[in-house]
Amino acid sequence: MSNNYYLEQKKNTHLYFQIGGNKYAINTENVLEIMKLPALDYSQKLPNNIIGLLKYNNFVINVVDIRFYLNIDVTPYNSHNELLIVKTDEVIFGIITDKIIGILPFDSALVDQIPFVDSKMIIESLYKFENETIFIVNIYALEILLKQHDNVIPDVDILSLFPKDEETKTLMQKRTREIAEKSSLRITSGELHSKNKYISFNLNNDFYCLSLDYVKEVLKDTTITNVPGTPDFIEGIMNLRGDYITVINLKKFLGLQEVDNSSDRKPVVIIKGNELKLALLIDKINELFEFQESAYESASESYYANEFIYNQTLYTVLNVEQILSDKRIIITDM
């Protein structure tokens, strides 16, 4: 596989999410972090295209709800809403969502451009995926709209959209304090193009992460077919749109004790190097975040590349190259 192809695939990887009855996507290169909705600051002086402000890593960022720009009814928010922190070349801001669904590589052949798109249209193209339409968001158009205060957006009592019960308010305020207390992540204007993005997940009660450079796709559940005669850490194979991929039980592969014996379907993270693609069966997907690592020496024969503390949690970084090159892995051609 050529390096140009790999770079093109990485460029077309999108995070997709749901708002109301529709699904939207943003290029992962523009995503900094995902978090549960915290309490936002709100001033009556804010323009009506901004639903609140959040202090995020030494910045005070605007938070928007794209439904206002799309003339879609806005339903009240709750503690389950998720906030997507995104960046352009100049600004960082938040987009409120109902839930994050996963990460997908977009086949450019399946992207339909919308004719007559201008610089202020936040939906620039459509993507057809499994009989669904995903709307691709142009965050640079959102950036332009954020700088303008003369947008025709219905007057809405923004504060009435947020929870009023004390239990939920306390929970959201706790999240806000935790964000303010972060000390591990420091982003300055000169670091906005950092490549240090990770997707985090659980194995038992421990936290691990993978560099987003290696992540091809994330699926919350999938059908896995057992293959007789394979090592016990090989869960089976899965059919991903006609492509058969070996599924590895990551806990068994790493020699970890099985603590969670739940029979529920578990998510998989599909990783890919230059030649090989694998699906890693894990316990739970957590979040996508950006972290500025200091330089370190990685043990080439270890499955673990590094450790760091982010938001008061210890993360172990997996050495994807070592996993992909392990000779115990059996790839089944179907």
Side-chain angles (χ1 to χ4, degrees):
M1 182 182 298
S2 70
N3 188 51
N4 287 339
Y5 177 82
Y6 176 74
L7 292 175
E8 183 65 23
Q9 287 294 98
K10 180 181 174 184
K11 178 181 177 181
N12 288 331
T13 301
H14 286 67
L15 181 82
Y16 71 118
F17 51 93
Q18 185 167 331
I19 302 178
N22 296 324
K23 294 182 174 65
Y24 303 86
I26 290 176
N27 194 297
T28 55
E29 290 186 346
N30 297 108
V31 177
L32 285 177
E33 189 172 351
I34 300 163
M35 63 181 68
K36 290 292 187 180
L37 181 64
L40 304 177
D41 290 330
Y42 186 81
S43 166
Q44 296 296 335
K45 296 180 180 179
L46 286 176
N48 60 355
N49 60 329
I50 296 173
I51 66 168
L53 304 175
L54 177 68
K55 186 174 182 181
Y56 178 79
N57 298 308
N58 298 323
F59 296 94
V60 175
I61 65 172
N62 296 317
V63 177
V64 300
D65 187 332
I66 64 174
R67 287 176 291 189
F68 285 120
Y69 298 103
L70 300 174
N71 294 321
I72 298 174
D73 289 340
V74 178
T75 55
Y77 310 128
N78 59 62
S79 62
H80 299 293
N81 282 104
E82 294 183 285
L83 191 60
L84 187 59
I85 308 298
V86 299
K87 63 178 174 111
T88 65
D89 295 336
E90 297 182 6
V91 299
I92 298 174
F93 59 94
I95 298 174
I96 194 168
T97 75
D98 288 343
K99 65 177 180 179
I100 306 300
I101 301 173
I103 296 174
L104 276 179
F106 278 12
D107 182 348
S108 55
L110 301 179
V111 176
D112 292 332
Q113 298 295 328
I114 298 177
F116 313 116
V117 172
D118 64 30
S119 61
K120 296 181 182 179
M121 288 184 62
I122 67 170
I123 303 300
E124 61 180 0
S125 51
L126 311 175
Y127 185 72
K128 303 296 178 62
F129 174 66
E130 296 183 347
N131 299 320
E132 289 188 314
T133 298
I134 300 176
F135 299 96
I136 303 178
V137 177
N138 180 355
I139 66 168
Y140 295 94
L142 269 175
E143 176 188 353
I144 293 174
L145 293 171
L146 278 171
K147 294 177 180 178
Q148 300 175 349
H149 301 332
D150 57 349
N151 303 297
V152 181
I153 295 179
D155 287 328
V156 175
D157 181 3
I158 299 295
L159 293 178
S160 69
L161 297 173
F162 287 88
K164 296 295 189 294
D165 65 285
E166 289 303 319
E167 181 178 356
T168 304
K169 288 168 62 177
T170 299
L171 172 62
M172 294 172 64
Q173 289 166 357
K174 178 175 180 290
R175 293 172 181 170
T176 303
R177 289 194 299 271
E178 289 173 348
I179 295 169
E181 290 169 359
K182 286 181 183 179
S183 59
S184 299
L185 180 59
R186 290 291 181 266
I187 300 175
T188 65
S189 59
E191 295 175 321
L192 290 183
H193 295 287
S194 169
K195 302 301 180 183
N196 295 331
K197 290 183 182 175
Y198 297 89
I199 187 163
S200 67
F201 55 91
N202 280 102
L203 296 176
N204 297 325
N205 297 318
D206 297 319
F207 290 82
Y208 294 79
C209 62
L210 291 166
S211 170
L212 198 60
D213 288 347
Y214 294 102
V215 176
K216 176 76 174 175
E217 192 166 339
V218 176
L219 300 174
K220 288 193 172 181
D221 59 68
T222 187
T223 300
I224 301 172
T225 302
N226 292 328
V227 179
T230 58
D232 67 342
F233 62 80
I234 294 200
E235 199 77 12
I237 57 173
M238 58 178 285
N239 186 334
L240 182 65
R241 299 184 289 278
D243 189 9
Y244 285 91
I245 300 172
T246 298
V247 181
I248 289 179
N249 184 315
L250 192 54
K251 283 190 286 190
K252 291 182 179 179
F253 182 80
L254 297 174
L256 303 177
Q257 182 180 1
E258 181 70 59
V259 175
D260 182 3
N261 295 313
S262 171
S263 61
D264 292 338
R265 286 185 173 182
K266 295 181 180 179
V268 295
V269 179
I270 300 172
I271 60 172
K272 188 172 185 179
N274 286 333
E275 301 294 337
L276 185 60
K277 187 188 300 181
L278 292 173
L280 305 180
L281 184 69
I282 59 176
D283 287 339
K284 179 185 176 184
I285 288 288
N286 291 318
E287 62 177 336
L288 180 73
F289 63 85
E290 185 163 333
F291 181 80
Q292 306 295 323
E293 279 191 88
S294 57
Y296 64 91
E297 291 285 335
S298 175
S300 60
E301 296 184 358
S302 172
Y303 297 126
Y304 307 108
N306 194 20
E307 289 184 339
F308 58 73
I309 295 176
Y310 170 75
N311 195 21
Q312 301 180 346
T313 300
L314 176 65
Y315 288 92
T316 299
V317 186
L318 292 185
N319 186 344
V320 178
E321 293 292 348
Q322 181 65 19
I323 294 173
L324 290 170
S325 64
D326 193 296
K327 294 181 180 179
R328 297 181 298 155
I329 295 172
I330 299 175
I331 304 301
T332 304
D333 294 326
M334 301 293 291

